[in-house]
Amino acid sequence: MTETLDAAPTRDQQKTALEKDTVDHTDPQTTSRLRADSLSSGYDDRTVLKDLNLNIPDGSFTVIMGPNACGKSTLLRSLARLIRPSQGQVLLDGASITSMPTKHLARTVGLLPQSSIAPDGITVSDLVSRGRHPHQSLFKRWSAADEEAVRQALADTQMTELATREVDSLSGGQRQRAWIAMALAQQTPLLLLDEPTTYLDIAHQIEVLELCARLQREGRTLVAVLHEINQVLRYATHIVALKDGHIVAEGTAAEVGTEEIIREVFGVESRVIEDPETGKPLMIPRAPAP
C-alpha cells in the first residue's frame, strides 16, 4: 500500500477525470447512463418489481422511498446486478449489465449494500483499500493515485483517526462509515447506497447526507434508499416513490412531497409545509383521530 509509481492527482484533477469519464461514456440518445426497462425481478418464485421503467438522471441524487417491503432494496440490487431480472433489463450506457464484464461494471457503478460483514481482523484502512480492487490488474501495482483515493475517502467519512483500528472493534455507526469510505474509494461515477444512514445517530446521518449532496454537486450520480421522509425531501434532487413494486410517483421534492402522494404511498395523513431552512416541503404527520 505504501509503494508509489506516480504523483497522486489533486482533488480538482480527480473531479475533472470523473466528469470526463461521464461525458465519454454517455449515449447521446439517452437521458441517463443507468436505466431500467420493463424490469421485473424478485427472489425465487416471488416477483417484487413488476414491469418497472426508470431513468436515473445523470448528475442527480436520486432517492428511492416507500413503505417496508415495497421493493426499494430489490430495485437497488437489480441496478447493481446483484439480482438477475426475470423480465426486462437494466441498461448502463445503452448496454445490458447482465453481459457486462465485472471489472468494467465495478469501475462504473459502486455499491454500499444494506448489510456487510468484514473479514476477521481487518483494519479500517485495509477495508477501504479494497475499494481500489476494480482499478488493479496483474500488471498495475498500487499507486499514489490509489493511496490518495483511500486517504480522501477516510477524510470524507471522518474515519482517518480510526484507520488502524480493526473494523470489528468499532461501533455500529463507525462500521457503517468505514463501508461508505470503501465505496467512495472505488471512485465510480455512479454510486448506489442501500440505507447509508443505518446505525448512525442524527449528527452522523446529516454528515453522510451532506457528503452525498456534495458528491452530487461535484458530478457524481447517486442512488440511495432512505426511510426518513423529511431527509428525502431535503436532500434528494430526484425522488422515486415505490409501493407494491410499482412507481407511484417520481420527480422533485415539490412534485413528490405532497399530502396526497404521502397518503397514497405510506397510508399516512400529514400536513406538508415549507421547510423554513430550505424552502422545500416538510412533512408533519397528523395525529390519528381519537
Side-chain angles (χ1 to χ4, degrees), residues 43-197:
Y43 308 92
D44 298 326
D45 58 350
R46 182 171 65 93
T47 299
V48 178
L49 304 176
K50 306 157 190 174
D51 197 28
L52 183 146
N53 293 291
L54 175 65
N55 286 344
I56 303 298
D58 291 336
S60 69
F61 182 12
T62 294
V63 175
I64 305 166
M65 72 174 189
N68 290 342
C70 71
K72 300 186 296 296
S73 291
T74 302
L75 175 55
L76 201 75
R77 290 168 61 85
S78 298
L79 294 176
R81 202 174 70 177
L82 296 181
I83 300 176
R84 190 178 186 90
S86 56
Q87 291 183 4
Q89 58 186 339
V90 174
L91 299 173
L92 176 63
D93 299 329
S96 173
I97 64 171
T98 57
S99 58
M100 197 166 288
T102 299
K103 184 159 282 192
H104 172 74
L105 182 63
R107 287 173 177 168
T108 311
V109 180
L111 172 68
L112 174 70
Q114 191 175 88
S115 57
S116 304
I117 300 175
D120 291 339
I122 192 171
T123 66
V124 171
S125 180
D126 287 340
L127 178 68
V128 177
S129 296
R130 295 192 174 200
R132 301 302 298 165
H133 283 186
H135 302 275
Q136 307 299 308
S137 69
L138 185 62
F139 303 103
K140 185 179 183 297
R141 302 159 70 183
W142 188 269
S143 70
D146 297 317
E147 195 78 31
E148 173 61 15
V150 171
R151 186 203 65 77
Q152 189 63 58
L154 289 168
D156 284 341
T157 53
Q158 297 187 333
M159 293 295 289
T160 302
E161 293 183 359
L162 300 175
T164 59
R165 289 268 301 274
E166 291 188 2
V167 175
D168 289 342
S169 72
L170 304 178
S171 69
Q174 290 168 337
R175 283 197 298 271
Q176 183 73 347
R177 284 190 283 153
W179 285 103
I180 293 172
M182 189 188 78
L184 293 181
Q186 200 169 330
Q187 291 188 322
T188 55
L190 292 99
L191 185 58
L192 311 182
L193 306 164
D194 197 355
E195 300 188 31
T197 55

Side-chain angles (χ1 to χ4, degrees), residues 250-272:
E250 65 175 304
T252 64
E255 293 167 333
V256 177
T258 67
E259 295 171 5
E260 293 75 20
I261 291 176
I262 291 170
R263 182 188 308 115
E264 181 178 0
V265 174
F266 295 97
V268 172
E269 295 295 332
S270 66
R271 181 184 176 196
V272 174

Side-chain angles (χ1 to χ4, degrees), residues 20-33:
K20 181 179 185 296
D21 181 68
T22 302
V23 173
D24 287 347
H25 291 85
T26 301
D27 183 347
Q29 301 303 313
T30 64
T31 59
S32 61
R33 299 188 67 182

Side-chain angles (χ1 to χ4, degrees), residues 201-219:
D201 59 36
I202 185 62
H204 286 118
Q205 287 179 31
I206 293 171
E207 286 176 4
V208 167
L209 292 171
E210 289 287 345
L211 172 61
C212 289
R214 177 170 64 75
L215 293 171
Q216 180 265 327
R217 291 193 299 269
E218 291 178 352

